Amino acid sequence: MANIWEWLSQYTDARVGIPRHGVSQSTEAQLKFQLDHAKARDAVWAELDFVWLAEQLPMDSIAIQSQAQSRSQYLTRPDLGRKLNSDSSNRVAGLEKTQVAIVIADGLSTTAISAGITELFSELKKLESISYKSQKLFLAEQARVALGDEIGELLEAELCIMIIGERPGLSASDSIGIYLTYEPRIGKSDANRNCISNIRPGGLTPKEACFKMNYLINEFYHRGLSGVTIKDLSDEILISDDGVSKLENKD
Amino acid sequence: MYHCTVDHHRVSFSSLKELLAKASPKKSGDELAGIAADTELQRVSAQICLANVHLKDFLNETFVPYETDEVTRLIIDSHHSEAFQEISSLTIGELRELLLSEKADSEFLSRIQLGLTPEMVSAVSKVMRIQDLILVCQKCRTVTQFNNTIGLPGQLSVRLQPNHPSDNPLGIATSIMDGLLLGCGDAVIGINPASDNPAVVRILLELMDGIIQEYQIPTQHCVLTHITTTMELMNAGAPVDLIFQSIAGTQKANESFGIHLQMLREAKQAGNELNRGKLGNNCMYFETGQGSALSADAHFGVDQQTCEARAYAVAREFEPLLINSVVGFIGPEYLYDGKQITRAGLEDLFCGKLLGLPMGCDICYTNHAQADQDDMDVLLTQFAVAGGAFIMGVPGSDDIMLNYQSTSFHDALFIREALHLKPAPEFQAWLEQMQLINHQGKIRNNTSGLLQGFSSKFLSAD
């Protein structure tokens, strides 16, 4: 029977055709599940080394913290993860006004950031849509997506690019998400943002993600807003440019 | 004001709503809302105080204003004073004792069903241990029918949940086949679609309908998309068995889901008019979960369990085939760990059953909650001992679309074996006829591959 399920697994990553002993899963399948869960749990709970992170990036950065003081508080109080602590808020308020705030945040997967940020950031540095704009880079600890709104408000920024570790799944614990908000201000909702998700080995590549980002940012400036009314049509552009879609969903 | 004296200290609570919130077993969501007990002593003091409150008081004090909330209006206006008569003199503490007594048999519990409000049911659960909840749950029976029968004694059904991150029909068909071969899918074959595009939803409906027709499977299907999309597709002639919607316990929370009661009424009527159920016409499928009202900023200071029970009052108005509490999906800011998830799962089962609903449970957790497979085994076992109607079946517990862990097909086999539970009788007969189970009802070890013709009909890429 193994062959049938091997053949079927081309259609889905679901855990189908698990060998059975009595009514129970094989030892191998059970331990594979435990291994994947362990990776996902570690991705949530591992501390991100922000000093190390700053050294990896080819641009000066500013370290900031949310009001969540520990990982467990971060998990139970999402409201605190959306606000700067007073020290960080003073620091950001003292900076000169900036057009683009780039924030790298631990989010719910610290391993996603530590594993994937270097390559993603070097692609991001090539973005044409923001190349002539003033930029500042923040490294944010215990942060939720909406923390970028407060930073944006203090800097009177035109755009916030929030790069954050996504909630780990069992199959992928190392996904990065990018949330883009035009005119980021306190009180903006998720409907005001555009998200590029699933950036990881086996998912969206940093190059593909930045292509989408460039498209979306140009649309924001063109239309003067971001959010649900902006549709990501970058895939179609890629297809029409060279006749081959590099950004097809992998399924 | 509600007062009582505990250890010579007088404690007071300003409203019934506050009393219930303080009496609630510890939940991170109630703490996030700022309404939970500050100390364990305060929690138990509130429970002692609550035990002395009369059921009648619940009819005089609304938790969310009648004038501005249609769920409150539904609860008050549909309250049955005749059914209430038999219990009208009781306190919450006395109600607990009555429910546990021999007098409260299945027939008695059905009789008082419409005399109970969700707030009363939630209140009494707060002075009950898990073993109390289980004993009462076992006595509650609700049987519903569409293409088969759900909720008979000794039965545990399974929703086959074959989700795929890009709604790939071949991938979904693969997971459906895996589940059917393992005896799952009698509650419903139900897909959470990644896309809300009606054209995609229709493809999925036709895929499931094709499989069910081809093999004459006595079950029903559902795509869990917004009710307006389903109605649009029904009008366009797509094959719709069950009509799905997420519901919550306040009008404002339902508005955040883009629904109101009249919309549900219209959908149910349209479903009934299709008349697709071979045995019965329970055509609705609801999902709920503690924390949904708070997450929509629509809880009005009501604790998350009571908000959840109010959602059941909405559900019972529409006589669903199935309703399940998706207990661990919402995350640790509402239910922090395995202990909180387990307690919530049993509370929901109890409240739903006492209100007369065919309760299922999505026994599940996310990777940022403090929970693991052992916690799920504990809840699964308690849920099944308590006589819950159905659980989810996901290949290997790993939902690759929604990124969380639920119960697997193997978990369903485990609990059926451990507690001698069976699928829906019509589905069981089909499994026997297809030779997927032996005459003792056990899944065969030597299933000779897929169902005949499945690859050529449902897995050919063109």
Side-chain angles (χ1 to χ4, degrees):
Chain A
M1 282 321 87
N3 289 340
I4 286 181
W5 292 107
E6 256 170 50
W7 173 66
L8 287 173
S9 66
Q10 68 181 302
Y11 301 126
T12 180
D13 290 332
R15 292 171 200 238
V16 290
I18 294 173
R20 192 161 48 79
H21 301 269
V23 298
S24 307
Q25 301 186 15
S26 66
T27 305
E28 187 186 350
Q30 177 151 316
L31 291 176
K32 173 71 171 70
F33 182 100
Q34 293 300 100
L35 178 67
D36 291 340
H37 187 230
K39 286 183 195 166
R41 300 285 294 141
D42 284 351
V44 173
W45 284 90
E47 297 274 330
L48 184 56
D49 184 342
F50 280 88
V51 176
W52 171 86
L53 179 62
E55 288 165 4
Q56 306 307 304
L57 301 167
M59 181 175 169
D60 288 341
S61 58
I62 301 141
I64 52 173
Q65 290 90 32
S66 80
Q67 291 181 11
Q69 289 173 3
S70 66
R71 207 63 184 153
S72 65
Q73 193 180 37
Y74 174 79
L75 291 172
T76 50
R77 292 291 305 272
D79 53 325
L80 298 181
R82 298 184 191 115
K83 293 176 197 146
L84 291 170
N85 69 16
S86 59
D87 192 39
S88 300
S89 138
N90 290 338
R91 202 170 324 140
V92 180
L95 298 170
E96 63 193 54
K97 306 303 174 216
T98 305
Q99 287 168 302
V100 179
I102 304 169
V103 187
I104 299 173
D106 43 11
L108 282 165
S109 174
T110 58
T111 53
I113 296 297
S114 52
I117 194 62
T118 326
E119 197 187 337
L120 178 60
F121 195 80
S122 66
E123 285 299 325
L124 186 141
K125 287 294 288 173
K126 300 180 202 159
L127 277 190
E128 289 165 28
S129 51
I130 56 168
S131 56
Y132 296 106
K133 298 189 180 292
S134 59
Q135 303 174 12
K136 282 201 165 46
L137 173 63
F138 299 90
L139 306 183
E141 200 172 344
Q142 311 290 14
R144 301 262 173 186
V145 171
L147 190 78
D149 295 343
E150 187 176 349
I151 298 167
E153 176 151 327
L154 292 168
L155 296 176
E156 294 174 22
E158 296 166 3
L159 177 71
C160 176
I161 301 173
M162 167 65 82
I163 302 165
I164 192 165
E166 294 189 317
R167 175 159 73 83
L170 210 57
S171 332
S173 53
D174 53 358
S175 266
I176 294 177
I178 298 178
Y179 289 80
L180 302 169
T181 315
Y182 186 76
E183 289 180 351
R185 300 292 181 269
I186 291 170
K188 290 265 172 163
S189 80
D190 289 345
N192 302 123
R193 309 183 209 288
N194 293 77
C195 174
I196 301 164
S197 184
N198 198 30
I199 305 163
R200 65 176 171 90
L204 210 57
T205 66
K207 209 182 184 86
E208 289 167 329
C210 288
F211 184 86
K212 281 173 178 291
M213 189 158 35
N214 202 47
Y215 172 86
L216 287 167
I217 292 170
N218 282 328
E219 285 290 294
F220 299 166
Y221 278 97
H222 181 61
R223 294 183 47 189
L225 58 92
S226 58
V228 289
T229 56
I230 306 272
K231 300 293 173 207
D232 178 9
L233 303 174
S234 56
D235 295 15
E236 289 166 28
I237 292 174
L238 258 201
I239 294 167
S240 61
D241 276 2
D242 56 19
V244 188
S245 171
K246 292 171 190 152
L247 300 175
E248 265 179 344
N249 283 334
K250 291 168 182 58
D251 45 39
Chain B
M1 289 290 276
Y2 294 84
H3 310 278
C4 69
T5 303
V6 178
D7 280 355
H8 311 294
H9 292 286
R10 192 169 161 78
V11 286
S12 323
F13 302 91
S14 64
S15 65
L16 209 44
K17 178 162 79 177
E18 187 198 349
L19 181 57
L20 261 72
K22 298 290 187 196
S24 296
K26 186 179 167 77
K27 310 259 174 64
S28 50
D30 291 328
E31 290 173 344
L32 179 63
I35 58 175
D38 300 321
T39 62
E40 291 305 315
L41 179 64
Q42 189 189 33
R43 190 186 326 278
V44 180
S45 300
Q47 289 169 354
I48 291 169
C49 191
L50 180 59
N52 292 318
V53 173
H54 282 87
L55 295 184
K56 277 182 193 145
D57 295 337
F58 284 80
L59 300 176
N60 300 325
E61 195 176 327
T62 55
F63 283 48
V64 185
Y66 182 92
E67 297 70 26
T68 53
D69 187 282
E70 63 172 353
V71 177
T72 302
R73 289 200 288 279
L74 175 70
I75 292 166
I76 301 287
D77 297 349
S78 64
H79 184 254
H80 210 286
S81 51
E82 213 170 306
F84 184 61
Q85 195 58 42
E86 255 182 293
I87 50 172
S88 61
S89 64
L90 301 183
T91 62
I92 289 294
E94 290 164 350
L95 177 62
R96 171 184 172 275
E97 291 166 355
L98 172 67
L99 293 174
L100 290 166
S101 74
E102 283 169 17
K103 186 186 170 197
D105 56 14
S106 301
E107 197 199 326
F108 176 87
L109 294 173
S110 307
R111 207 160 63 225
I112 63 166
Q113 226 168 62
L114 293 175
L116 292 167
T117 66
E119 290 85 357
M120 291 175 194
V121 170
S122 171
V124 71
S125 80
K126 293 179 197 297
V127 296
M128 294 169 81
R129 289 170 56 183
I130 281 182
Q131 62 165 259
D132 300 344
L133 300 175
I134 289 175
L135 280 181
V136 179
C137 281
Q138 284 186 331
K139 298 192 280 190
C140 298
R141 280 288 156 207
T142 300
V143 175
T144 55
Q145 291 187 311
F146 194 77
N147 284 330
N148 59 20
T149 309
I150 304 293
L152 294 170
Q155 179 180 334
L156 180 76
S157 296
V158 182
R159 166 186 164 196
L160 202 169
Q161 184 173 311
N163 298 342
H164 189 280
S166 59
D167 295 326
N168 181 327
L170 302 177
I172 285 172
T174 297
S175 290
I176 291 176
M177 178 49 43
D178 195 32
L180 291 174
L181 292 177
L182 294 173
C184 295
D186 54 333
V188 62
I189 302 174
I191 302 170
N192 300 91
S195 164
D196 54 8
N197 180 335
V200 173
V201 174
R202 183 163 191 155
I203 289 169
L204 301 180
L205 285 169
E206 282 167 357
L207 169 71
M208 291 188 290
D209 207 54
I211 293 173
I212 287 175
Q213 299 298 332
E214 175 70 23
Y215 298 102
Q216 293 293 301
I217 310 171
T219 190
Q220 38 279 326
H221 59 73
C222 184
V223 175
L224 287 75
T225 189
H226 195 268
I227 197 161
T228 50
T229 306
T230 304
M231 285 174 79
E232 183 186 326
L233 285 163
M234 285 163 79
N235 286 333
V240 171
D241 281 351
L242 301 187
I243 301 167
F244 167 80
Q245 185 53 46
S246 291
I247 55 170
T250 67
Q251 179 177 333
K252 189 178 173 194
N254 282 328
E255 280 165 2
S256 81
F257 290 148
I259 58 153
H260 48 75
L261 298 180
Q262 184 55 27
M263 194 185 277
L264 298 177
R265 278 188 201 104
E266 284 163 20
K268 184 187 176 221
Q269 194 188 338
N272 286 154
E273 279 164 11
L274 287 184
N275 206 24
R276 287 172 59 93
K278 292 190 179 73
L279 299 181
N281 226 343
N282 299 114
C283 66
M284 304 298 284
Y285 173 21
F286 294 123
E287 284 192 351
T288 63
Q290 290 192 23
S292 60
L294 172 59
S295 118
D297 192 23
H299 63 96
F300 301 96
V302 180
D303 69 88
Q304 65 184 32
Q305 187 212 342
T306 305
C307 285
E308 172 75 2
R310 285 169 56 97
Y312 302 157
V314 172
R316 76 171 166 180
E317 177 75 1
F318 302 101
E319 302 170 312
L321 180 76
L322 309 162
I323 165 170
N324 72 309
S325 146
V326 188
V327 71
F329 185 71
I330 194 162
E333 61 268 44
Y334 300 91
L335 295 167
Y336 186 65
D337 56 12
K339 183 177 171 65
Q340 293 186 11
I341 292 171
T342 302
R343 172 78 202 183
L346 266 290
E347 288 169 351
D348 292 351
L349 179 64
F350 169 84
C351 291
K353 279 191 145 233
L354 211 51
L355 292 172
L357 287 167
M359 287 302 293
C361 187
D362 190 343
I363 294 164
C364 65
Y365 61 105
T366 58
N367 288 318
H368 60 322
Q370 296 280 58
D372 60 20
Q373 293 295 84
D374 284 343
D375 294 308
M376 297 304 105
D377 290 344
V378 169
L379 176 53
L380 171 60
T381 306
Q382 293 179 354
F383 176 84
V385 169
F390 69 103
I391 57 172
M392 307 305 114
V394 177
S397 287
D398 176 9
D399 190 309
I400 56 171
M401 201 293 272
L402 294 171
N403 271 327
Y404 76 124
Q405 286 91 254
S406 183
T407 42
S408 65
F409 305 135
H410 298 79
D411 292 336
L413 292 180
F414 145 72
I415 201 68
R416 282 175 178 168
E417 167 124 337
L419 298 176
H420 309 292
L421 299 167
K422 291 179 175 147
E426 303 83 0
F427 193 82
Q428 165 113 348
W430 177 81
L431 290 171
E432 261 177 65
Q433 184 200 324
M434 301 301 284
Q435 303 191 325
L436 295 175
I437 56 175
N438 65 21
H439 59 282
Q440 292 164 319
K442 292 199 190 297
I443 291 287
R444 283 174 186 271
N445 272 327
N446 56 344
T447 38
S448 52
L450 312 179
L451 296 179
Q452 204 179 359
F454 194 85
S455 326
S456 57
K457 281 206 167 66
F458 299 103
L459 292 173
S460 57
D462 45 67

